[in-house]
Amino acid sequence: MSSENRNENLGKNLGSRRSRHQGRSHIRNRPFVVATFAMTADGKVTTKNFGPVDFTSREDKLHLFRQRALADAVLLGHTSLERDNVRLGVPTELQELRIQRGQSRSPLRVIVSNKGRIDERLKIFHSHISPIIIFSTNRMPPKNQAALHKTATLHLTNATEVDLAAMLKTLRNQYKVRTLACEGGPTLFRSLLEQGLVDQLNLTIAPHMFGGGKAPTLTGLSKEFLPGSVHCSLIEMRTVGDECFLTYRIKHQRRRRSRTRSARND
């Protein structure tokens, strides 16, 4: 099967799943949050130096693009954005699939940062493929506010840290985001997970092992256990070459209290 046919079939299949997500997120008054990650066989998502690591195949990179293309918006923490310096766009053929599904050509791009010291020279701010929304606090220096205001919409709060639940509510109500693709980093993912704000996890297991106690895992470097065990239900599994692609539905507790209500990604 050609790559175009695979993309088209995946778009149709996940498009119907996306419709079901939208109905649920409307009830919760927040988007359906889908996190997509790749990790090594020993659970590491990057090296101990947190540098960009290219340890997955071309198929995994296409998988990431497909998941991104299904969402109304894509979310990234400031630390990961600065490390990877990505534009958060999607390939042309997936843009066409989005249009066929009645979406905009590219998803909204959302950045979350507590301190707000975001460099306006990053590639994302020089790419006009879709609007950029930044959630931060008044800790953002005035010079950064002035520079970023030219290319992005700023949502600043008086709190010292971004309230993730409030952020999701704003995305749903103000920007009509029904499906949100979270691409990291692990600290942001952990904060969302602790508050019961993740609905699905797409996880690629790559045939590598890094080792090292200081190399971050899927939930970051914290030595603390999660406030409660997060239960997942495996809904899809496939292998391509030596990589395994897993899709988990996150089982939410009726009421989960967290020791944190913020994104600790700065």
Side-chain angles (χ1 to χ4, degrees):
M1 183 182 291
S2 70
S3 60
E4 281 191 15
N5 287 336
R6 284 200 305 269
N7 284 345
E8 185 174 357
N9 290 338
L10 186 58
K12 290 178 179 177
N13 292 339
L14 293 183
S16 61
R17 187 182 300 168
R18 178 176 177 273
S19 297
R20 296 196 298 271
H21 295 173
Q22 290 176 348
R24 295 176 182 176
S25 61
H26 177 74
I27 295 173
R28 285 195 300 256
N29 203 28
R30 70 166 177 82
F32 187 92
V33 178
V34 180
T36 301
F37 283 90
M39 72 178 190
T40 63
D42 59 342
K44 307 299 182 181
V45 295
T46 186
T47 64
K48 63 181 179 181
N49 297 321
F50 291 86
V53 179
D54 188 11
F55 62 87
T56 62
S57 69
R58 180 175 180 273
E59 176 61 28
D60 177 64
K61 293 172 179 60
L62 290 174
H63 176 65
L64 177 66
F65 281 134
R66 292 172 189 138
Q67 297 302 320
R68 183 186 296 172
L70 287 172
D72 299 307
V74 55
L75 171 68
L76 197 63
H78 174 216
T79 301
S80 295
L81 176 66
E82 202 163 59
R83 180 193 67 206
D84 298 333
N85 198 13
V86 290
R87 296 180 176 87
L88 295 179
V90 296
T92 303
E93 62 271 20
L94 294 181
Q95 293 178 24
E96 297 303 323
L97 285 175
R98 286 179 57 86
I99 293 174
Q100 291 174 25
R101 292 195 298 265
Q103 296 173 280
S104 60
R105 181 170 289 275
S106 298
L108 298 172
R109 295 170 292 173
V110 183
I111 303 166
V112 59
S113 170
N114 289 326
K115 297 178 182 178
R117 297 192 180 99
I118 304 173
D119 190 343
E120 75 277 6
R121 293 171 296 180
L122 291 170
K123 291 178 181 178
I124 191 171
F125 300 114
H126 299 275
S127 173
H128 307 292
I129 54 177
S130 67
I132 301 170
I133 306 165
I134 299 175
F135 288 88
S136 187
T137 70
N138 287 325
R139 297 165 66 188
M140 178 184 286
K143 65 176 183 178
N144 293 87
Q145 293 187 36
L148 295 172
H149 183 71
K150 298 175 182 178
T151 55
T153 299
L154 305 184
H155 289 267
L156 305 182
T157 175
N158 290 325
T160 57
E161 297 174 322
V162 176
D163 184 326
L164 294 177
M167 176 190 74
L168 293 182
K169 185 176 181 180
T170 298
L171 288 174
R172 178 66 183 88
N173 294 335
Q174 187 167 334
Y175 296 96
K176 310 305 179 186
V177 175
R178 294 174 178 264
T179 305
L180 178 68
C182 174
E183 297 185 7
T187 306
L188 173 59
F189 173 67
R190 181 187 177 105
S191 294
L192 289 165
L193 202 62
E194 286 179 342
Q195 297 182 51
L197 299 176
V198 180
D199 303 292
Q200 181 172 306
L201 171 63
N202 301 316
L203 182 62
T204 302
I205 300 178
H208 300 280
M209 287 186 281
F210 290 168
K214 294 185 178 180
T217 68
L218 189 62
T219 53
L221 281 171
S222 176
K223 296 181 180 179
E224 300 290 332
F225 283 99
L226 292 170
S229 176
V230 176
H231 295 273
C232 307
S233 176
L234 182 66
I235 59 175
E236 186 179 347
M237 180 178 68
R238 64 187 178 97
T239 57
V240 179
D242 293 327
E243 289 177 329
C244 183
F245 296 82
L246 305 171
T247 302
Y248 290 100
R249 183 63 51 80
I250 306 299
K251 296 182 178 180
H252 294 294
Q253 303 295 328
R254 289 188 176 182
R255 183 75 174 178
R256 178 183 292 145
R257 293 188 178 274
S258 170
R259 287 173 294 191
T260 178
R261 303 180 66 84
S262 60
R264 301 184 304 270
N265 65 314
D266 280 325

